[in-house]
Amino acid sequence: MSSKEKPTLGGTRIKTRKRNIAAPLDTAAFSDAVVQIYLDNAGDLELIAKCIEPSDLDFSRYGDTFFEVIFTGGRTQPGTTKPDEGERHPYSILESEAKREVILPFVIYIQKILRRRPFLIKNLENVMRKFLQSLELFEENGRKKLAIFTALAFSQKLSGLPPETVFQPLLKDNLVAKGLVLLFITDFFKEYLIDNSLDDLISILKRGKVEDNLLDFFPSAKRSAEGFSEHFTKEGLLALVEYNEKKMFEVKLKEIKSALTSLIAEEADVSEVIETVKQRVKDARFPEIEVVRMLWDVIMDAVQWSGKNQQQNANSALRQVKTWAELLNTFCTNGKLQLELMYKIQIQCYEDAKLMKLFPEIVRSLYDQDVLAEDTILHWFRKGTNPKGRQIFVKALEPFVNWLEEAEEEE
């Protein structure tokens, strides 16, 4: 053997690595086969499901095509909702009536298919995403059918369908600008709320990451709190209007509290704080009572508590009340608002052990600073309606009330 020749083992077979050879996609054949099942069973979804469940059709490769057949009656052209070549059937969702009782059987049918082949949920997501991003290609009636189907899918808790699959594709600028998204989402809300509560709807919106951005569904010209209320009031969705108003109120309240807290922490001038509150309250259209409640919360939240030293805590709280009395006085402009402030103080002193014994001293301090009028204090003492700790506080305030009454008699 030449020194240049490499040694070999006689009789050894050298194995070659096999290549993964993928069979070519044949969506047309798959689509035609599914369409034929529909035609053979005249659109009877019970019989169709029984035929599909044991079939050896390759759903893992052609899942998108399968749902295109369900929705449109045949396969669609890539990237569009337009029909592609091949067989079609007339028993699709988009060929049915735009009525919940007609579309519900389709949802139940798909649920059965997904229980047998849960991996198909991703394909359903793909097809729904494609259709929702192309709402402008459907007639108004077709969009309504999609909205009804979507509402029923969530109502029936269709296996694993994530809300973001529905809501996020809708936020395309061109669809929103044309008003198509608002029409779709309105139909969706109305259909879903037939069988479900507002809390259920809010839960879906949260999971879809749109609960805080409902105005994003509105064209820019209507994108306002007034536009929201006007539109959904007209559509009969008053509960949704009330929820949104409450939500926006909470957001604005949080913003005002944050700004006010910062000013107090920075020890800003009282006049500056008053002007800031006035402007923000005006912009947010806050009810006067809510302003008084908010001011008291922020003022007391800023107190520097000192652990278990009760005397230091008492001094800190009373010093805070005196420092910001002018702020309270500016917004407690009548007896009703002053009474609301007293109820607010009563509740906090009842719920916070550090303040329990301070109720009469706080009231006296606010009287001395002209925040609470004598008539207001006497009304609370004689006719107050909030029961929280009332007996304790009435007894604690009695010496001060007696002093007020005696001073009044002397005058």
Side-chain angles (χ1 to χ4, degrees):
M1 182 174 68
S2 170
S3 60
K4 294 182 179 180
E5 293 179 358
K6 293 182 179 181
T8 61
L9 295 174
T12 301
R13 296 177 61 187
I14 300 174
K15 294 183 178 180
T16 57
R17 182 178 295 173
K18 292 182 179 179
R19 296 180 180 177
N20 293 324
I21 302 175
L25 291 172
D26 189 358
T27 53
F30 176 87
S31 175
D32 290 348
V34 176
V35 168
Q36 193 58 51
I37 293 174
Y38 271 80
L39 294 173
D40 290 344
N41 292 281
D44 188 316
L45 296 176
E46 289 281 347
L47 296 177
I48 294 169
K50 289 179 180 179
C51 291
I52 285 178
E53 283 182 8
S55 72
D56 56 359
L57 291 170
D58 194 351
F59 290 94
S60 62
R61 301 189 77 195
Y62 305 111
D64 286 13
T65 303
F66 174 62
F67 285 108
E68 289 173 1
V69 173
I70 292 176
F71 277 93
T72 71
R75 63 193 180 107
T76 61
Q77 296 178 17
T80 75
T81 61
K82 297 179 180 178
D84 206 346
E85 297 178 354
E87 297 293 326
R88 307 190 71 78
H89 70 83
Y91 309 111
S92 67
I93 293 173
L94 291 172
E95 289 294 330
S96 64
E97 291 184 83
K99 296 180 179 178
R100 57 189 291 109
E101 62 270 20
V102 176
I103 294 178
L104 179 59
F106 287 99
V107 177
I108 297 172
Y109 159 70
I110 291 174
Q111 185 76 286
K112 289 180 180 178
I113 301 297
L114 290 175
R115 284 174 185 158
R116 181 68 179 266
R117 296 179 173 86
F119 60 87
L120 283 174
I121 189 65
K122 290 296 181 184
N123 302 105
L124 175 59
E125 289 180 41
N126 294 339
V127 172
M128 288 192 68
R129 186 180 297 110
K130 180 172 75 170
F131 287 168
L132 294 176
Q133 288 177 333
S134 307
L135 283 179
E136 74 270 26
L137 301 180
F138 293 94
E139 298 292 335
E140 181 180 350
N141 207 33
R143 292 192 291 270
K144 186 174 181 65
K145 293 169 190 175
L146 287 175
I148 295 173
F149 173 86
T150 305
L152 290 174
F154 285 122
S155 184
Q156 296 294 314
K157 297 177 173 60
L158 195 63
S159 300
L161 183 64
E164 57 264 32
T165 296
V166 172
F167 299 122
Q168 296 303 322
L170 291 172
L171 297 175
K172 288 180 65 177
D173 291 343
N174 64 314
L175 297 179
V176 173
K178 293 177 182 178
L180 300 178
V181 174
L182 182 56
L183 292 174
F184 176 90
I185 209 72
T186 300
D187 286 335
F188 170 82
F189 288 162
K190 291 168 75 172
E191 290 294 332
Y192 184 81
L193 288 171
I194 290 175
D195 294 328
N196 302 276
S197 69
L198 182 64
D199 288 340
D200 293 329
L201 176 60
I202 300 307
S203 176
I204 288 178
L205 296 174
K206 283 182 179 178
R207 286 187 286 130
K209 301 175 182 177
V210 294
E211 183 220 2
D212 295 328
N213 306 300
L214 294 181
L215 285 178
D216 289 350
F217 294 127
F218 282 71
S220 57
K222 299 181 179 179
R223 195 172 296 166
S224 65
E226 294 76 14
F228 186 101
S229 297
E230 181 181 348
H231 173 77
F232 286 115
T233 298
K234 184 179 179 181
E235 295 293 336
L237 297 175
L238 295 178
L240 184 62
V241 172
E242 291 172 1
Y243 167 81
N244 189 64
E245 289 176 348
K246 181 181 178 183
K247 183 76 177 176
M248 294 189 71
F249 170 81
E250 289 172 352
V251 171
K252 291 177 180 177
L253 179 62
K254 186 176 180 180
E255 291 174 351
I256 294 178
K257 276 189 171 183
S258 178
L260 186 54
T261 299
S262 297
L263 288 171
I264 290 178
E266 295 167 1
E267 298 182 353
D269 187 77
V270 176
S271 59
E272 179 186 350
V273 177
I274 289 173
E275 289 307 312
T276 299
V277 175
K278 282 183 177 179
Q279 188 58 50
R280 286 182 173 268
V281 166
K282 180 180 178 182
D283 294 342
R285 299 180 182 176
F286 261 34
E288 292 177 320
I289 284 180
E290 294 298 337
V291 175
V292 171
R293 292 170 180 166
M294 179 267 296
L295 290 176
W296 180 256
D297 282 339
V298 174
I299 289 171
M300 296 312 293
D301 286 345
V303 175
Q304 299 295 319
W305 305 110
S306 58
K308 296 182 179 180
N309 192 315
Q310 294 183 0
Q311 188 58 51
Q312 286 187 18
N313 285 334
N315 292 339
S316 296
L318 292 173
R319 185 165 53 249
Q320 187 80 338
V321 170
K322 186 175 181 180
T323 300
W324 297 103
E326 185 181 347
L327 175 63
L328 291 169
N329 190 32
T330 302
F331 295 94
C332 290
T333 54
N334 56 52
K336 181 180 179 181
L337 297 175
Q338 292 175 22
L339 186 62
E340 184 61 34
L341 176 59
M342 285 201 70
Y343 284 139
K344 185 69 179 173
I345 297 167
Q346 174 188 345
I347 293 169
Q348 186 169 12
C349 288
Y350 175 74
E351 295 177 347
D352 190 337
K354 296 189 297 294
L355 298 173
M356 178 68 79
K357 296 181 179 180
L358 287 183
F359 179 78
E361 294 183 64
I362 292 173
V363 172
R364 176 65 183 261
S365 178
L366 292 174
Y367 170 79
D368 291 340
Q369 301 295 322
D370 294 327
V371 177
L372 294 178
E374 178 181 335
D375 290 346
T376 301
I377 296 172
L378 293 176
H379 178 89
W380 178 92
F381 184 82
R382 295 164 181 166
K383 301 179 181 180
T385 57
N386 194 304
K388 289 189 174 182
R390 176 166 172 77
Q391 290 183 341
I392 297 172
F393 296 140
V394 164
K395 186 174 181 180
L397 196 62
E398 189 172 4
F400 177 57
V401 170
N402 289 338
W403 179 83
L404 288 176
E405 290 175 335
E406 289 172 3
E408 187 178 7
E409 289 176 2
E410 290 178 2
E411 290 179 3

